[in-house]
Amino acid sequence: MNKKLLLIIDLQESFINESTKFLPQKIEKLLISNKFDYIVFTKFINDDKSDFYRILNYKGCMTEKDRNIVIDTKDYRVIEKRVYTAYNDELKSYIDSNNIKTIYLCGIDTDACVLKTTLDLFENNLDVKVIEDCSMSHSGIEYHNSAINMLRKLIGNQNVIKMLGSVNND
């Protein structure tokens, strides 16, 4: 049986702004759709020793409040990460131990963490689908659209999908 994972990337307080404010409601709709066998959230952790802080001067996700996932994670697994990709040892083990074959990805930022995680999953021979209408860049629609176009080229047009409707708030 083809087990399906919904992987929700960095739906955190620090990343919610005018560009992303519609995402929590859309992702909650995905959660109640019963289309997935497993659901995992990721949480980006930043600190003053990270390159995000030191080189990029990024000060988000440094406090518990900023790191907070903005919807109820219930009893779902939450994987912490300190880099762009969520494809770490914990996620690899989770995928293997649950015999997951297809991974549906969504969340924030399409142009960074969603993109990097998708490419890492693809390069490790996993069937990965990016849910375009449940992803966004907190830097704006232009960055999101650029990343979506790159993903279509890099993982195949058929692997960038829509599950709920338009990208903006509907």
Side-chain angles (χ1 to χ4, degrees), residues 102-147:
T102 305
I103 299 158
Y104 291 80
L105 242 104
C106 65
I108 305 171
D109 274 327
T110 321
D111 54 317
C113 299
V114 171
L115 177 71
K116 177 70 167 116
T117 301
T118 300
L119 295 178
D120 289 347
L121 292 165
F122 180 83
E123 287 181 340
N124 282 278
N125 299 314
L126 290 156
D127 180 20
V128 60
K129 313 281 185 208
V130 174
I131 308 171
E132 175 183 356
D133 55 331
C134 293
S135 300
M136 182 51 71
S137 170
H138 83 281
S139 298
I141 189 76
E142 308 81 21
Y143 285 89
H144 168 78
N145 288 339
S146 292

Side-chain angles (χ1 to χ4, degrees), residues 36-72:
F36 309 100
D37 301 295
Y38 301 96
I39 295 169
V40 171
F41 287 82
T42 69
K43 180 191 283 193
F44 178 67
I45 306 292
N46 192 19
D47 61 42
D48 60 4
K49 293 173 185 63
S50 78
D51 284 346
F52 297 96
Y53 180 84
R54 292 183 321 97
I55 296 170
L56 301 176
N57 198 32
Y58 178 67
K59 296 176 181 159
C61 297
M62 293 182 75
T63 67
E64 284 305 315
K65 181 184 183 312
D66 284 346
R67 294 174 184 163
N68 182 49
I69 296 173
V70 298
I71 61 176
D72 186 0

Side-chain angles (χ1 to χ4, degrees), residues 154-170:
L154 296 171
I155 67 167
N157 193 51
Q158 73 279 10
N159 291 316
V160 179
I161 63 173
K162 290 187 179 181
M163 293 190 86
L164 295 176
S166 66
V167 170
N168 56 15
N169 196 6
D170 58 352

Side-chain angles (χ1 to χ4, degrees), residues 31 38-41 71-79 94:
L31 291 176
Y38 301 96
I39 295 169
V40 171
F41 287 82
I71 61 176
D72 186 0
T73 58
K74 298 183 169 87
D75 294 326
Y76 303 126
R77 173 68 86 43
V78 176
I79 295 176
Y94 188 87

Side-chain angles (χ1 to χ4, degrees), residues 26-37:
K26 283 196 164 222
I27 290 173
E28 283 180 335
K29 286 181 186 176
L30 273 183
L31 291 176
I32 61 171
S33 71
N34 293 320
K35 294 181 180 186
F36 309 100
D37 301 295

